[in-house]
Each structure stands twice: as C-alpha cells, then as structure tokens.
Amino acid sequence: QVQLVESGGGSVQAGGSLRLSCTRTGDTYSRNCMAWFRQAPGKEREGVAAIYTNDDSTYYADSVKGRFTISHDFAKSTIYLQMDSLKPEDTAMYYCAADSAVLILGGIIKAEDFTYWGQGTQVTVS
C-alpha cells in the first residue's frame, strides 16, 4: 500500500521561502506521477505542481510559475516543493499526491487523477 508523508510546512513572512518534502513508501517509485496540491479554507483543491519521476518532466499552475520548483530524489523516494517569494495567497494546506497513470493535459493538474494522498502540511504566509 502506498503511503505519502509530507513535512516542511510552517509560517513565514511574505517574500520568504519554504521547502516541502513528501516521501513515498510501499510501492514502486519509478514511472509514477507525483504532485503537490493545496487547499485554502472555502476553496477547491488546486494542483500546484507535478513531476513525472521517469523523465523529470514538470508542470506548474500559472499562479506559482517562476516561484515554486518541484523536484525529486529517486534514491530517497522523495519529492520536494521549493517555494520562494511566498505571498499571503499561498496560505493553504499543502498535500502530496501520487499515481501511476496520470495524463496531464493543457498543464492542468487534476485532483481526481490521483489515488494516493498524504495527510497535508500547513503553510501560512503573513
């Protein structure tokens, strides 16, 4: 069974940086798509960034392009989300997600395409 564990959230002032981590256990790491989503109170879950771990292709929501960077460490079965130039509107619960059959079309990262989810880590930007 796949398990995803996030870490690295916290509180930061606007303009600051945070790095989120998500470690995957219990399944083959290769040929998978992993992603970060976020959900603020009263809003829908939004796909922020995704990476295909077989070829390192990446996708980003327009709202974070140029500020966030997704990457992965194959040996550690871990993905990261480096978040720079944070804004108050980035405040949300951030979730890691994974699946093995995801087709990202038009750069849109959809929550319904992912089966496995972490518990989330809170990011607060003031």
Side-chain angles (χ1 to χ4, degrees):
Q1 184 175 352
V2 175
Q3 291 187 326
L4 304 173
V5 179
E6 304 103 330
S7 63
S11 297
V12 65
Q13 291 188 337
S17 299
L18 284 172
R19 189 177 81 154
L20 307 182
S21 301
C22 172
T23 299
R24 173 177 179 147
T25 60
D27 199 357
T28 303
Y29 184 69
S30 63
R31 295 180 293 174
N32 280 317
C33 182
M34 297 184 72
W36 288 98
F37 288 79
R38 65 186 181 187
Q39 189 167 19
K43 295 188 177 181
E44 292 186 356
R45 191 165 293 192
E46 173 191 21
V48 173
I51 186 167
Y52 285 94
T53 58
N54 58 322
D55 64 5
D56 282 346
S57 54
T58 58
Y59 301 84
Y60 295 94
D62 288 342
S63 57
V64 305
K65 280 180 181 176
R67 300 189 298 121
F68 290 10
T69 303
I70 189 170
S71 62
H72 88 281
D73 184 326
F74 186 91
K76 296 181 179 179
S77 297
T78 298
I79 65 167
Y80 304 96
L81 185 68
Q82 178 66 40
M83 304 185 295
D84 298 318
S85 302
L86 282 161
K87 304 175 181 179
E89 50 263 45
D90 294 318
T91 295
M93 184 71 77
Y94 282 71
Y95 298 91
C96 176
D99 211 305
S100 58
V102 177
L103 183 62
I104 296 176
L105 299 176
I108 305 299
I109 307 164
K110 297 186 292 183
E112 56 263 38
D113 288 341
F114 291 83
T115 303
Y116 305 104
W117 293 84
Q119 294 300 308
T121 185
Q122 179 68 37
V123 172
T124 302
V125 185
S126 59

